Amino acid sequence: MTSLVLAIESSCDETAAAVVADGHRVLSSVVASQVEVHAPFGGVVPEIASRAHLEHLVPVVRRALVDAGIDSPATQLDAVAATVGPGLIGALVVGVGHAKALSLAWGLPFVGVNHLEGHLYASRLEDPAFAPPFVVLLVSGGHTLLLHVLDHGRFDLLGRTIDDAAGEAFDKVARLLGLGYPGGPAIDRIATQGDASVVSFPRGLIDEPGFDFSFSGVKSSVLRYVRSHPDTSVADIAASFQEAVVDVLVTKARKAAAQAGAGALCLAGGVAANSSLRARATAASEEDGLALYLPSRAMCTDNAAMIAAAAWSQLQRSGPSPLDVAARPSFPLVATVGR
Ligand code: KG4
Ligand code: ZN
């Protein structure tokens, strides 16, 4: 029997809702971006994000239900899920409160989902081959992790950033290059017109044993370079910076897959939308004989379909969550991971 999950995502600056069948078939996925309201501030303003979620959530959920052809949620849906963390506390509270209210009103189970686990399941929406075990490079605005996914819900931490997340580095470097917010897509775009060999920026921890990352060095190095070379084109600097970050990410991911003896590599999180990272990871996995689980760009960045996919897996493993589950700004996926 088909199982339908409505999921809500509101951990940062996207208000999203989706209906997904059997954990992988997307019946609807609606994302209301808040980019325009935060752009004048050069980044996400938490208080504004919470208010915008409150405004957008009801119409976004309604749209997701209509698009999925659901006119009687209480009888047609099987569960209501929401991201409970990690993320901005005020933003999370809006989505979690809304999802709990719907689950109570419709008499449906509630599932509280870890946002990072949601990113992991993005590949399941589009790739029927997606199945653990695999090594995942999870690169978002707040996290940079290398995990060995042993089974659904079972992760070994291989490495993580010791300072900035990869997406955070993209955002900060974009800001200092005057490319605005959101920074990752802006650097990706302008880098296509630049020459990545113009500046050799540092590749933090690339030759160190282990799988931890560091991106604060490359960020400071870009700042120093911009100040001392005002005539170098922004496109060349952006391309060179992107090359340095992607080089480290791909080098460590393939080493991690080899050490873990994994047959598959998965990319997840907003930075996995980066063209250069996608191209390099595709070439590397072909060379190393690895299967590659690579979500479409739209499913890499925050959306609710991935949250529904993770919720479905969680329901199979451990059933619904209690209704008193709290929003968790810090929610480690593995004991020592997360903020
Ligand atoms: O996963 P996500 O949508 O939200 C978080 O959970 O953080 O990731 C957002 C991050 C931002 O730092 C954004 O700049 C980055 O992903 N990003 C990109 C690209 N698209 C989004 N970074 C590099 N290239 C891109 N094309
Ligand atoms: Zn995310």
Side-chain angles (χ1 to χ4, degrees):
M1 206 181 78
T2 312
S3 161
L4 297 188
V5 175
L6 166 72
I8 289 173
E9 155 62 36
S10 72
S11 64
C12 191
D13 60 345
E14 323 276 5
T15 314
V19 178
V20 172
D22 299 331
H24 65 97
R25 207 154 41 84
V26 182
L27 302 190
S28 66
S29 178
V30 182
V31 181
S33 169
Q34 300 177 10
V35 162
E36 278 174 23
V37 289
H38 298 293
F41 302 94
V44 179
V45 183
E47 180 63 28
I48 294 177
S50 313
R51 289 165 192 237
H53 285 306
L54 202 54
E55 275 174 42
H56 292 145
L57 204 44
V58 169
V60 163
V61 168
R62 191 173 293 148
R63 179 85 259 154
L65 292 173
V66 168
D67 287 359
I70 308 279
D71 48 23
S72 171
T75 57
Q76 289 174 275
L77 293 175
D78 296 279
V80 181
T83 300
V84 296
L88 303 170
I89 182 67
L92 289 166
V93 161
V94 175
V96 173
H98 196 83
K100 285 182 181 178
L102 292 178
S103 100
L104 265 178
W106 294 335
L108 295 171
F110 167 73
V111 192
V113 176
N114 182 307
H115 181 79
L116 302 173
E117 189 162 353
H119 274 303
L120 256 178
Y121 276 84
S123 283
R124 176 141 207 272
L125 300 166
E126 295 161 326
D127 191 342
F130 174 89
F134 54 82
V135 162
V136 61
L137 173 68
L138 203 165
V139 270
S140 70
H143 296 85
T144 299
L145 301 171
L146 263 172
L147 301 169
H148 189 192
V149 181
L150 305 163
D151 198 351
H152 295 282
R154 279 183 57 219
F155 319 102
D156 260 357
L157 173 66
L158 304 174
R160 62 174 169 168
T161 182
I162 57 167
D163 41 53
D164 292 347
E168 194 179 353
F170 269 93
D171 294 335
K172 287 177 176 171
V173 165
R175 197 175 312 154
L176 70 90
L177 292 178
L179 297 173
Y181 157 87
I187 289 190
D188 196 349
R189 250 189 325 272
I190 199 165
T192 58
Q193 297 149 32
D195 177 352
S197 66
V198 168
V199 198
S200 177
F201 285 121
R203 272 91 167 136
L205 304 182
I206 199 167
D207 295 321
E208 299 294 317
F211 301 107
D212 282 346
F213 300 93
S214 169
F215 297 109
S216 69
V218 64
K219 175 195 65 189
S220 313
S221 182
V222 173
L223 180 60
R224 280 195 301 276
Y225 189 89
V226 170
R227 286 187 177 150
S228 55
H229 299 78
D231 296 332
T232 309
S233 85
V234 168
D236 287 346
I237 298 173
S240 302
F241 158 77
Q242 178 175 274
E243 176 84 2
V245 172
V246 168
D247 206 14
V248 178
L249 292 175
V250 173
T251 303
K252 296 243 171 193
R254 65 200 297 192
K255 270 194 208 159
Q259 183 180 298
L265 177 66
C266 176
L267 295 194
V271 181
N274 183 267
S275 329
S276 168
L277 176 57
R278 297 171 77 85
R280 289 275 304 273
T282 303
S285 47
E286 269 168 26
E287 211 172 291
D288 296 353
L290 297 168
L292 179 67
Y293 305 139
L294 181 61
S296 63
R297 281 192 162 82
M299 289 300 157
C300 288
T301 49
D302 288 350
N303 66 86
M306 68 185 195
I307 302 300
W312 189 82
S313 166
Q314 202 171 310
L315 267 173
Q316 316 294 306
R317 291 189 324 253
S318 46
S321 311
L323 269 177
D324 62 357
V325 87
R328 298 178 59 177
S330 158
F331 187 178
L333 194 53
V334 196
T336 51
V337 184
R339 295 190 293 178

